Amino acid sequence: MPDAPYLLSAVGVAAAVTWALRALPFAVLAPLRSSPAVSYLNSHMPVGVLTILSVYALRDVTPRVPDRAWPTVLALAVTVGLHLWRRNLLLSVLGGTAAHVALVGAVFTG
């Protein structure tokens, strides 16, 4: 069995590596805040991310199967309506997700 100084040094090294890995993103992020590339991505990425999320969410919608299509279409309408009303991305996504879960779980399960 290893002795106490060896175990304490192993725990110390593990703690130092963990702390360094958690602090590293903050140290790297500070110089990037003034970068023109980061400001460009900040202004254009939300549209791209939402487009990919929408395509992914609607990929399996088949209009010929109303029990599967209507919850998604109604939840999409709730998401768009919430976003047009409040212009809050988090509220829109959470509200649309909650509407979809409620519609699939309660209304359209038969």
Side-chain angles (χ1 to χ4, degrees):
M1 176 152 175
D3 56 345
Y6 176 78
L7 291 175
L8 288 174
S9 64
V11 169
V13 168
V17 168
T18 300
W19 184 84
L21 288 175
R22 290 181 185 233
L24 183 66
F26 295 104
V28 171
L29 192 60
L32 290 177
R33 291 195 193 274
S34 62
S35 167
V38 171
S39 67
Y40 174 80
L41 290 175
N42 188 29
S43 64
H44 290 84
M45 281 303 291
V47 174
V49 169
L50 284 179
T51 302
I52 291 170
L53 182 61
S54 300
V55 168
Y56 179 77
L58 298 173
R59 75 188 185 289
D60 292 332
V61 174
T62 54
R64 288 180 238 133
V65 184
D67 288 346
R68 302 230 346 143
W70 280 112
T72 305
V73 170
L74 292 174
L76 179 63
V78 167
T79 304
V80 170
L82 280 172
H83 191 71
L84 291 175
W85 177 48
R86 297 302 254 174
R87 300 276 184 207
N88 185 334
L89 180 64
L90 183 62
L91 176 67
S92 304
V93 171
L94 289 179
T97 302
H100 189 264
V101 169
L103 289 168
V104 168
V107 178
F108 290 97
T109 57

XYZ file of all heavy atoms in Angstrom:
814
model
N 0.849 -1.176 0.000
C 0.000 0.000 0.000
C 0.897 1.243 0.000
O 1.859 1.316 0.751
C -0.895 -0.024 1.231
C -1.736 1.190 1.361
S -3.227 0.786 2.237
C -3.906 2.363 2.364
N 0.511 2.265 -0.819
C 1.321 3.496 -0.861
C 1.274 4.230 0.473
O 0.293 4.176 1.209
C 0.664 4.325 -1.952
C -0.206 3.397 -2.701
C -0.547 2.264 -1.798
N 2.359 4.940 0.748
C 2.409 5.681 2.006
C 1.707 7.036 1.888
O 1.325 7.473 0.800
C 3.856 5.852 2.460
C 4.716 6.523 1.401
O 4.268 6.595 0.249
O 5.818 6.979 1.744
N 1.499 7.709 3.012
C 0.719 8.944 3.079
C 1.290 10.078 2.222
O 0.516 10.753 1.522
C 0.568 9.387 4.522
N 2.595 10.337 2.227
C 3.094 11.432 1.376
C 2.829 11.196 -0.113
O 2.512 12.130 -0.846
C 4.598 11.470 1.664
C 4.748 10.848 3.004
C 3.654 9.826 3.103
N 2.930 9.942 -0.542
C 2.657 9.630 -1.945
C 1.194 9.915 -2.277
O 0.876 10.514 -3.308
C 3.004 8.168 -2.225
C 2.663 7.723 -3.628
C 3.480 8.059 -4.703
C 1.513 6.984 -3.881
C 3.170 7.669 -5.991
C 1.192 6.586 -5.162
C 2.021 6.931 -6.214
O 1.707 6.536 -7.485
N 0.276 9.483 -1.414
C -1.150 9.715 -1.635
C -1.478 11.210 -1.611
O -2.259 11.694 -2.437
C -1.978 8.969 -0.589
C -1.964 7.441 -0.696
C -2.723 6.825 0.467
C -2.565 6.999 -2.014
N -0.896 11.937 -0.679
C -1.146 13.376 -0.607
C -0.612 14.096 -1.843
O -1.263 15.011 -2.364
C -0.519 13.966 0.659
C -1.226 13.599 1.965
C -0.430 14.122 3.155
C -2.633 14.149 1.984
N 0.535 13.684 -2.334
C 1.064 14.318 -3.543
C 0.200 13.974 -4.761
O -0.012 14.815 -5.638
C 2.524 13.921 -3.769
O 2.631 12.540 -4.015
N -0.309 12.742 -4.829
C -1.187 12.368 -5.940
C -2.474 13.188 -5.921
O -2.935 13.678 -6.958
C -1.496 10.880 -5.875
N -3.050 13.364 -4.739
C -4.260 14.178 -4.611
C -3.951 15.631 -4.949
O -4.732 16.317 -5.625
C -4.865 14.039 -3.193
C -5.948 15.073 -2.954
C -5.411 12.649 -2.989
N -2.803 16.129 -4.512
C -2.412 17.502 -4.828
C -2.230 17.730 -6.318
O -2.676 18.747 -6.862
N -1.576 16.785 -6.997
C -1.392 16.903 -8.447
C -2.742 16.861 -9.150
O -3.007 17.653 -10.068
C -0.439 15.799 -8.964
C -0.467 15.717 -10.479
C 0.976 16.047 -8.466
N -3.606 15.938 -8.736
C -4.930 15.845 -9.355
C -5.733 17.130 -9.145
O -6.410 17.611 -10.062
C -5.691 14.645 -8.801
N -5.654 17.706 -7.953
C -6.368 18.955 -7.679
C -5.805 20.100 -8.508
O -6.559 20.924 -9.048
C -6.298 19.283 -6.194
N -4.488 20.173 -8.644
C -3.872 21.240 -9.434
C -4.236 21.123 -10.909
O -4.554 22.127 -11.570
C -2.352 21.200 -9.260
N -4.224 19.910 -11.436
C -4.589 19.716 -12.848
C -6.057 20.063 -13.058
O -6.416 20.727 -14.035
C -4.273 18.272 -13.288
C -4.895 17.950 -14.633
C -2.764 18.047 -13.329
N -6.922 19.635 -12.154
C -8.348 19.949 -12.269
C -8.574 21.457 -12.225
O -9.317 22.015 -13.049
C -9.135 19.264 -11.138
O -8.942 17.857 -11.239
C -10.611 19.587 -11.227
N -7.950 22.148 -11.286
C -8.105 23.592 -11.183
C -7.591 24.284 -12.437
O -8.224 25.203 -12.962
C -7.361 24.105 -9.951
C -7.549 25.563 -9.735
C -8.589 26.172 -9.105
C -6.697 26.610 -10.207
N -8.429 27.535 -9.131
C -7.271 27.831 -9.807
C -5.504 26.636 -10.915
C -6.700 29.052 -10.094
C -4.929 27.861 -11.206
C -5.523 29.045 -10.797
N -6.426 23.855 -12.943
C -5.855 24.467 -14.147
C -6.763 24.264 -15.357
O -6.964 25.182 -16.162
C -4.465 23.896 -14.418
N -7.318 23.066 -15.501
C -8.201 22.809 -16.648
C -9.502 23.604 -16.558
O -10.076 23.983 -17.572
C -8.492 21.318 -16.765
C -7.319 20.458 -17.243
C -7.687 18.983 -17.202
C -6.891 20.856 -18.642
N -9.966 23.854 -15.371
C -11.180 24.664 -15.217
C -10.902 26.144 -15.398
O -11.765 26.903 -15.828
C -11.828 24.399 -13.868
C -12.428 23.012 -13.826
C -13.100 22.753 -12.512
N -13.555 21.390 -12.470
C -14.791 21.036 -12.191
N -15.678 21.950 -11.901
N -15.131 19.769 -12.179
N -9.715 26.603 -15.073
C -9.371 28.015 -15.220
C -8.915 28.365 -16.630
O -9.021 29.522 -17.044
C -8.281 28.384 -14.217
N -8.410 27.386 -17.371
C -7.860 27.636 -18.701
C -8.853 28.300 -19.661
O -8.482 29.262 -20.338
C -7.326 26.328 -19.296
C -6.663 26.424 -20.659
C -5.385 27.244 -20.544
C -6.353 25.043 -21.194
N -10.107 27.866 -19.759
C -11.024 28.541 -20.687
C -11.213 30.021 -20.387
O -11.341 30.832 -21.298
C -12.345 27.782 -20.520
C -11.952 26.452 -20.010
C -10.727 26.675 -19.176
N -11.224 30.399 -19.112
C -11.384 31.812 -18.768
C -10.153 32.621 -19.161
O -10.261 33.762 -19.594
C -11.674 31.966 -17.275
C -12.986 31.354 -16.880
C -13.023 30.139 -16.223
C -14.174 31.977 -17.187
C -14.225 29.568 -15.866
C -15.392 31.424 -16.841
C -15.409 30.206 -16.181
N -8.982 32.023 -19.024
C -7.750 32.715 -19.401
C -7.654 32.877 -20.914
O -7.164 33.882 -21.414
C -6.543 31.948 -18.873
N -8.142 31.878 -21.655
C -8.081 31.939 -23.115
C -9.185 32.841 -23.661
O -9.016 33.497 -24.690
C -8.187 30.515 -23.704
C -8.339 30.529 -25.201
C -6.970 29.692 -23.309
N -10.316 32.881 -22.986
C -11.469 33.629 -23.473
C -11.275 35.140 -23.406
O -11.788 35.869 -24.257
C -12.709 33.237 -22.672
C -14.041 33.694 -23.196
C -14.283 33.135 -24.577
C -15.139 33.276 -22.262
N -10.537 35.628 -22.443
C -10.363 37.075 -22.265
C -9.809 37.770 -23.506
O -10.376 38.776 -23.954
C -9.492 37.343 -21.049
N -8.726 37.295 -24.136
C -8.234 37.985 -25.336
C -9.170 37.841 -26.537
O -9.160 38.678 -27.440
C -6.896 37.311 -25.639
C -6.551 36.494 -24.459
C -7.792 36.268 -23.693
N -9.987 36.791 -26.558
C -10.871 36.574 -27.704
C -12.063 37.530 -27.725
O -12.684 37.716 -28.771
C -11.382 35.134 -27.712
C -10.356 34.058 -28.042
C -10.997 32.682 -27.948
C -9.784 34.271 -29.431
N -12.415 38.097 -26.611
C -13.600 38.963 -26.546
C -13.508 40.162 -27.492
O -14.513 40.625 -27.995
C -13.824 39.438 -25.123
C -14.252 38.320 -24.212
C -14.811 38.861 -22.925
N -14.938 37.823 -21.932
C -15.988 37.026 -21.817
N -16.978 37.143 -22.650
N -16.027 36.112 -20.877
N -12.319 40.663 -27.730
C -12.162 41.819 -28.621
C -11.867 41.424 -30.062
O -11.659 42.289 -30.906
C -11.041 42.715 -28.095
O -9.819 42.000 -28.094
N -11.893 40.145 -30.356
C -11.583 39.659 -31.701
C -12.729 39.943 -32.668
O -13.903 39.730 -32.339
C -11.323 38.155 -31.643
O -11.306 37.610 -32.931
N -12.432 40.408 -33.893
C -13.504 40.625 -34.869
C -14.177 39.320 -35.295
O -15.373 39.302 -35.581
C -12.803 41.286 -36.049
C -11.358 41.320 -35.751
C -11.144 40.857 -34.361
N -13.431 38.226 -35.311
C -14.030 36.942 -35.688
C -15.076 36.502 -34.670
O -16.145 36.000 -35.038
C -12.944 35.875 -35.825
N -14.788 36.697 -33.399
C -15.737 36.311 -32.351
C -16.976 37.188 -32.400
O -18.101 36.707 -32.226
C -15.056 36.351 -30.969
C -16.068 36.160 -29.859
C -13.988 35.288 -30.877
N -16.821 38.473 -32.667
C -18.005 39.335 -32.754
C -18.853 38.971 -33.974
O -20.080 39.035 -33.917
C -17.609 40.805 -32.769
O -16.914 41.113 -33.949
N -18.215 38.566 -35.077
C -18.963 38.116 -36.256
C -19.752 36.849 -35.932
O -20.937 36.744 -36.250
C -18.004 37.858 -37.422
C -18.687 37.257 -38.622
C -19.395 38.054 -39.504
C -18.633 35.893 -38.862
C -20.037 37.511 -40.600
C -19.274 35.337 -39.951
C -19.966 36.153 -40.828
O -20.605 35.601 -41.904
N -19.092 35.881 -35.298
C -19.780 34.640 -34.931
C -20.900 34.908 -33.933
O -21.957 34.268 -33.996
C -18.784 33.636 -34.356
C -17.803 33.042 -35.350
C -16.793 32.164 -34.627
C -18.520 32.255 -36.422
N -20.684 35.836 -33.026
C -21.701 36.176 -32.042
C -22.962 36.728 -32.691
O -24.072 36.475 -32.235
C -21.136 37.180 -31.044
C -22.069 37.433 -29.891
O -22.838 36.566 -29.511
N -21.988 38.618 -29.332
N -22.801 37.461 -33.774
C -23.974 38.035 -34.421
C -24.621 37.098 -35.437
O -25.804 37.229 -35.719
C -23.609 39.355 -35.097
O -22.689 39.123 -36.137
N -23.884 36.136 -35.991
C -24.436 35.285 -37.040
C -24.725 33.846 -36.624
O -25.486 33.164 -37.304
C -23.491 35.275 -38.243
C -23.473 36.576 -38.965
N -22.676 37.628 -38.563
C -24.161 37.012 -40.042
C -22.869 38.650 -39.372
N -23.768 38.313 -40.274
N -24.140 33.367 -35.565
C -24.339 31.978 -35.177
C -25.735 31.657 -34.658
O -26.240 30.570 -34.921
C -23.288 31.545 -34.147
C -21.953 31.215 -34.769
S -22.029 29.948 -36.036
C -22.425 28.528 -35.063
N -26.405 32.526 -33.902
C -27.737 32.144 -33.418
C -28.693 31.768 -34.549
O -29.454 30.813 -34.425
C -28.219 33.388 -32.669
C -26.964 34.026 -32.197
C -25.981 33.790 -33.315
N -28.646 32.471 -35.665
C -29.523 32.141 -36.796
C -29.153 30.771 -37.350
O -30.020 29.942 -37.632
C -29.418 33.229 -37.889
C -30.199 32.832 -39.113
C -29.889 34.554 -37.348
N -27.876 30.503 -37.486
C -27.434 29.209 -38.002
C -27.784 28.068 -37.075
O -28.242 27.012 -37.516
N -27.598 28.278 -35.794
C -27.908 27.230 -34.826
C -29.408 26.943 -34.811
O -29.833 25.783 -34.799
C -27.404 27.634 -33.418
C -27.941 26.707 -32.355
C -25.890 27.636 -33.397
N -30.221 27.982 -34.833
C -31.666 27.765 -34.849
C -32.132 27.115 -36.146
O -33.064 26.313 -36.143
C -32.402 29.081 -34.612
C -32.388 29.557 -33.170
C -33.117 30.872 -33.033
C -33.001 28.525 -32.267
N -31.488 27.440 -37.259
C -31.839 26.786 -38.521
C -31.547 25.297 -38.458
O -32.383 24.466 -38.837
C -31.066 27.434 -39.684
O -31.388 28.821 -39.719
C -31.404 26.783 -41.000
N -30.380 24.943 -37.963
C -30.025 23.527 -37.842
C -30.958 22.830 -36.861
O -31.424 21.710 -37.125
C -28.553 23.392 -37.405
C -27.638 23.850 -38.535
C -28.223 21.960 -37.005
C -26.195 23.999 -38.149
N -31.271 23.463 -35.745
C -32.182 22.882 -34.769
C -33.576 22.684 -35.360
O -34.208 21.647 -35.144
C -32.254 23.778 -33.534
C -33.128 23.314 -32.380
C -32.625 21.992 -31.839
C -33.149 24.357 -31.288
N -34.048 23.631 -36.141
C -35.376 23.516 -36.762
C -35.411 22.390 -37.781
O -36.361 21.591 -37.807
C -35.757 24.825 -37.442
O -35.787 25.863 -36.509
N -34.402 22.311 -38.616
C -34.356 21.233 -39.615
C -34.287 19.880 -38.918
O -34.967 18.923 -39.319
C -33.158 21.437 -40.574
C -32.912 20.220 -41.427
C -33.395 22.658 -41.441
N -33.501 19.779 -37.872
C -33.395 18.531 -37.131
C -34.732 18.155 -36.482
O -35.133 16.999 -36.507
C -32.304 18.651 -36.062
C -32.145 17.409 -35.229
C -31.488 16.299 -35.738
C -32.662 17.337 -33.940
C -31.348 15.151 -34.986
C -32.527 16.201 -33.178
C -31.866 15.099 -33.708
O -31.747 13.965 -32.950
N -35.428 19.139 -35.924
C -36.695 18.858 -35.254
C -37.799 18.478 -36.238
O -38.682 17.689 -35.918
C -37.131 20.064 -34.433
N -37.739 19.028 -37.445
C -38.804 18.782 -38.425
C -38.477 17.676 -39.413
O -39.256 17.413 -40.323
C -39.103 20.081 -39.177
C -39.607 21.232 -38.316
C -39.714 22.501 -39.140
C -40.932 20.880 -37.685
N -37.371 16.991 -39.271
C -36.937 16.017 -40.266
C -37.867 14.808 -40.372
O -37.987 14.222 -41.429
C -35.517 15.551 -39.964
C -35.442 14.590 -38.808
C -34.028 14.284 -38.388
N -33.986 13.271 -37.367
C -34.357 13.418 -36.115
N -34.810 14.589 -35.713
N -34.294 12.430 -35.253
N -38.524 14.433 -39.303
C -39.378 13.246 -39.316
C -40.867 13.556 -39.406
O -41.686 12.649 -39.269
C -39.123 12.411 -38.057
C -37.746 11.781 -38.049
O -37.213 11.525 -39.140
O -37.213 11.551 -36.949
N -41.217 14.798 -39.637
C -42.629 15.158 -39.704
C -43.198 14.700 -41.042
O -42.710 15.062 -42.102
C -42.816 16.682 -39.535
C -44.271 17.062 -39.742
C -42.345 17.117 -38.177
N -44.228 13.870 -40.962
C -44.918 13.417 -42.171
C -46.362 13.878 -42.091
O -47.094 13.491 -41.182
C -44.864 11.886 -42.309
O -45.368 11.297 -41.110
C -43.435 11.400 -42.541
N -46.794 14.716 -43.023
C -48.164 15.242 -42.965
C -49.232 14.161 -43.099
O -50.370 14.355 -42.699
C -48.236 16.206 -44.157
C -46.822 16.505 -44.500
C -46.020 15.333 -44.072
N -48.876 13.004 -43.641
C -49.859 11.935 -43.818
C -50.193 11.217 -42.513
O -51.124 10.430 -42.468
C -49.342 10.925 -44.846
C -49.382 11.494 -46.246
C -48.869 10.496 -47.247
N -47.751 11.158 -47.913
C -46.581 10.639 -48.131
N -46.319 9.416 -47.765
N -45.644 11.315 -48.732
N -49.418 11.463 -41.469
C -49.671 10.851 -40.161
C -49.959 11.980 -39.173
O -49.071 12.493 -38.509
C -48.449 10.018 -39.690
C -48.766 9.315 -38.385
C -48.031 9.025 -40.755
N -51.235 12.406 -39.069
C -51.560 13.586 -38.263
C -51.204 13.446 -36.784
O -50.852 14.426 -36.138
C -53.067 13.749 -38.431
C -53.482 12.828 -39.494
C -52.390 11.847 -39.724
N -51.303 12.246 -36.226
C -50.981 12.079 -34.811
C -49.522 12.393 -34.524
O -49.167 12.739 -33.406
C -51.288 10.649 -34.343
C -52.781 10.412 -34.239
O -53.523 11.392 -34.268
O -53.187 9.239 -34.131
N -48.673 12.264 -35.530
C -47.254 12.582 -35.349
C -46.924 13.989 -35.822
O -46.006 14.604 -35.322
C -46.388 11.574 -36.097
C -46.625 10.168 -35.673
C -45.457 9.357 -35.336
N -44.179 9.866 -35.719
C -43.119 9.712 -34.978
N -43.222 9.089 -33.842
N -41.962 10.163 -35.358
N -47.654 14.516 -36.792
C -47.325 15.821 -37.370
C -47.904 16.982 -36.563
O -47.229 17.992 -36.376
C -47.813 15.898 -38.809
N -49.126 16.858 -36.067
C -49.778 17.992 -35.410
C -49.072 18.474 -34.152
O -48.950 19.693 -33.954
C -51.253 17.696 -35.126
C -52.076 17.895 -36.348
C -52.711 16.935 -37.069
C -52.325 19.126 -37.020
N -53.332 17.489 -38.141
C -53.121 18.846 -38.145
C -51.956 20.444 -36.804
C -53.544 19.818 -39.023
C -52.377 21.414 -37.681
C -53.169 21.097 -38.773
N -48.609 17.591 -33.275
C -47.898 18.126 -32.098
C -46.679 18.956 -32.486
O -46.423 20.008 -31.890
C -47.487 16.877 -31.321
C -48.425 15.826 -31.766
C -48.777 16.144 -33.179
N -45.961 18.514 -33.502
C -44.768 19.244 -33.920
C -45.131 20.574 -34.564
O -44.511 21.601 -34.290
C -43.938 18.387 -34.892
O -43.651 17.133 -34.264
C -42.651 19.060 -35.270
N -46.152 20.577 -35.401
C -46.562 21.809 -36.072
C -47.091 22.821 -35.051
O -46.756 24.009 -35.105
C -47.614 21.505 -37.160
C -48.228 22.770 -37.705
C -46.989 20.682 -38.282
N -47.900 22.370 -34.114
C -48.421 23.270 -33.091
C -47.311 23.785 -32.169
O -47.309 24.967 -31.800
C -49.513 22.579 -32.276
C -50.808 22.291 -33.033
C -51.755 21.465 -32.172
C -51.467 23.576 -33.470
N -46.373 22.925 -31.810
C -45.258 23.369 -30.977
C -44.383 24.363 -31.731
O -43.874 25.324 -31.144
C -44.431 22.170 -30.527
N -44.217 24.161 -33.022
C -43.469 25.123 -33.833
C -44.185 26.468 -33.854
O -43.550 27.523 -33.730
C -43.293 24.593 -35.256
C -42.558 25.496 -36.229
C -41.130 25.715 -35.776
C -42.588 24.896 -37.617
N -45.512 26.447 -33.953
C -46.283 27.696 -33.932
C -46.141 28.395 -32.577
O -46.005 29.624 -32.517
C -47.752 27.407 -34.232
N -46.144 27.625 -31.492
C -45.952 28.208 -30.161
C -44.563 28.836 -30.059
O -44.404 29.957 -29.545
C -46.154 27.139 -29.058
C -45.654 27.629 -27.707
C -47.615 26.740 -28.973
N -43.543 28.140 -30.580
C -42.177 28.652 -30.527
C -42.048 29.958 -31.302
O -41.482 30.942 -30.803
C -41.198 27.605 -31.090
O -41.349 26.389 -30.359
C -39.768 28.076 -30.997
N -42.578 29.978 -32.507
C -42.504 31.193 -33.327
C -43.293 32.324 -32.676
O -42.838 33.469 -32.620
C -43.002 30.904 -34.764
C -43.160 32.180 -35.558
C -42.047 29.951 -35.473
N -44.487 32.001 -32.178
C -45.298 33.027 -31.523
C -44.617 33.615 -30.298
O -44.610 34.835 -30.109
N -44.041 32.753 -29.465
C -43.330 33.256 -28.287
C -42.141 34.115 -28.685
O -41.873 35.143 -28.058
C -42.852 32.088 -27.419
C -43.881 31.443 -26.513
C -43.309 30.183 -25.864
C -44.331 32.418 -25.450
N -41.441 33.698 -29.731
C -40.268 34.481 -30.128
C -40.666 35.837 -30.718
O -40.021 36.844 -30.453
C -39.402 33.708 -31.111
C -38.076 34.363 -31.326
N -37.103 34.371 -30.357
C -37.579 35.061 -32.364
C -36.057 35.046 -30.806
N -36.323 35.476 -32.010
N -41.724 35.868 -31.497
C -42.183 37.138 -32.052
C -42.734 38.053 -30.954
O -42.622 39.275 -31.043
C -43.236 36.903 -33.132
C -42.728 36.257 -34.420
C -43.897 35.966 -35.351
C -41.697 37.134 -35.104
N -43.316 37.453 -29.939
C -43.911 38.239 -28.858
C -42.841 38.813 -27.922
O -42.855 39.995 -27.601
C -44.881 37.357 -28.084
C -45.513 38.003 -26.896
C -46.097 39.232 -26.828
C -45.627 37.437 -25.590
N -46.572 39.460 -25.567
C -46.298 38.369 -24.781
C -45.253 36.233 -25.037
C -46.588 38.126 -23.441
C -45.544 35.995 -23.718
C -46.199 36.937 -22.932
N -41.879 37.972 -27.475
C -40.931 38.402 -26.445
C -39.498 38.585 -26.937
O -38.689 39.159 -26.228
C -40.906 37.389 -25.298
C -42.221 37.272 -24.594
C -42.644 38.582 -24.043
N -42.458 38.558 -22.610
C -42.618 39.584 -21.838
N -42.946 40.722 -22.338
N -42.451 39.480 -20.566
N -39.150 38.040 -28.095
C -37.772 38.116 -28.618
C -36.761 37.555 -27.612
O -35.689 38.098 -27.415
C -37.386 39.544 -28.977
C -38.249 40.170 -30.009
C -37.787 39.802 -31.373
N -38.611 40.527 -32.347
C -38.825 40.081 -33.549
N -38.271 38.974 -33.940
N -39.578 40.749 -34.371
N -37.124 36.449 -26.984
C -36.266 35.812 -25.988
C -36.044 34.368 -26.435
O -36.961 33.550 -26.420
C -36.929 35.856 -24.617
C -36.048 35.334 -23.519
O -35.165 34.515 -23.751
N -36.293 35.798 -22.305
N -34.812 34.050 -26.814
C -34.490 32.734 -27.349
C -34.778 31.629 -26.340
O -35.372 30.605 -26.691
C -33.017 32.700 -27.776
C -32.517 31.385 -28.352
C -33.232 31.075 -29.644
C -31.026 31.459 -28.568
N -34.358 31.826 -25.105
C -34.565 30.797 -24.089
C -36.047 30.537 -23.857
O -36.479 29.376 -23.808
C -33.885 31.205 -22.783
C -33.949 30.201 -21.647
C -33.251 28.909 -22.037
C -33.331 30.784 -20.393
N -36.837 31.589 -23.757
C -38.273 31.436 -23.568
C -38.907 30.719 -24.757
O -39.742 29.833 -24.587
C -38.937 32.799 -23.360
C -40.455 32.791 -23.243
C -40.883 32.092 -21.966
C -40.986 34.208 -23.291
N -38.489 31.060 -25.963
C -39.044 30.444 -27.159
C -38.751 28.953 -27.212
O -39.645 28.140 -27.456
C -38.477 31.107 -28.409
O -38.696 32.480 -28.393
N -37.501 28.594 -26.990
C -37.122 27.178 -27.073
C -37.772 26.377 -25.947
O -38.323 25.295 -26.185
C -35.582 27.034 -27.057
C -35.177 25.588 -26.925
C -34.982 27.624 -28.319
N -37.726 26.888 -24.732
C -38.343 26.162 -23.616
C -39.862 26.077 -23.767
O -40.461 25.034 -23.488
C -37.977 26.819 -22.287
C -36.528 26.644 -21.841
C -36.290 27.374 -20.530
C -36.173 25.188 -21.712
N -40.486 27.162 -24.206
C -41.940 27.135 -24.404
C -42.354 26.174 -25.495
O -43.330 25.426 -25.347
N -41.636 26.170 -26.611
C -41.935 25.233 -27.698
C -41.709 23.797 -27.290
O -42.493 22.903 -27.634
N -40.640 23.558 -26.548
C -40.369 22.195 -26.073
C -41.453 21.738 -25.105
O -41.944 20.609 -25.195
C -38.990 22.135 -25.395
O -37.997 22.555 -26.334
C -38.669 20.741 -24.914
N -41.840 22.610 -24.191
C -42.901 22.266 -23.237
C -44.219 22.016 -23.956
O -44.956 21.079 -23.614
C -43.054 23.373 -22.202
N -44.528 22.827 -24.963
C -45.760 22.611 -25.723
C -45.723 21.275 -26.446
O -46.714 20.538 -26.466
C -45.950 23.753 -26.722
N -44.595 20.938 -27.035
C -44.486 19.663 -27.753
C -44.629 18.478 -26.791
O -45.360 17.526 -27.077
C -43.150 19.590 -28.498
C -43.073 18.418 -29.404
N -42.481 17.247 -29.045
C -43.533 18.239 -30.663
C -42.560 16.382 -30.035
N -43.201 16.974 -31.049
N -43.957 18.547 -25.655
C -44.061 17.466 -24.682
C -45.487 17.328 -24.183
O -46.021 16.231 -24.069
C -43.075 17.698 -23.515
C -43.340 16.752 -22.361
C -41.645 17.554 -24.000
N -46.139 18.449 -23.906
C -47.531 18.402 -23.421
C -48.463 17.850 -24.491
O -49.331 17.027 -24.186
C -47.970 19.798 -22.995
N -48.278 18.277 -25.730
C -49.162 17.797 -26.796
C -48.957 16.322 -27.078
O -49.927 15.573 -27.249
C -48.941 18.620 -28.071
C -49.453 20.053 -28.014
C -48.924 20.846 -29.204
C -50.967 20.061 -27.985
N -47.729 15.884 -27.124
C -47.463 14.468 -27.401
C -47.910 13.610 -26.218
O -48.514 12.565 -26.393
C -45.959 14.246 -27.717
C -45.620 12.774 -27.711
C -45.615 14.853 -29.054
N -47.621 14.072 -25.009
C -47.905 13.265 -23.828
C -49.362 13.255 -23.399
O -49.849 12.252 -22.917
N -50.075 14.350 -23.590
C -51.426 14.431 -23.045
C -52.514 14.370 -24.105
O -53.498 13.670 -23.949
C -51.561 15.725 -22.245
N -52.340 15.099 -25.171
C -53.429 15.264 -26.129
C -53.439 14.177 -27.182
O -54.489 13.612 -27.511
C -53.334 16.663 -26.791
C -54.408 16.846 -27.820
C -53.413 17.727 -25.723
N -52.300 13.872 -27.758
C -52.268 12.999 -28.912
C -51.896 11.558 -28.616
O -51.547 10.814 -29.512
C -51.298 13.575 -29.949
C -51.808 14.826 -30.602
C -51.413 16.055 -30.150
C -52.723 14.756 -31.621
C -51.895 17.214 -30.740
C -53.220 15.899 -32.214
C -52.792 17.122 -31.763
N -51.990 11.105 -27.374
C -51.670 9.722 -27.075
C -52.881 8.816 -27.159
O -52.752 7.610 -27.156
C -51.040 9.592 -25.677
O -51.917 10.140 -24.719
C -49.694 10.247 -25.642
N -54.053 9.408 -27.229
C -55.267 8.625 -27.411
C -55.662 7.984 -26.178
O -56.242 7.158 -25.773
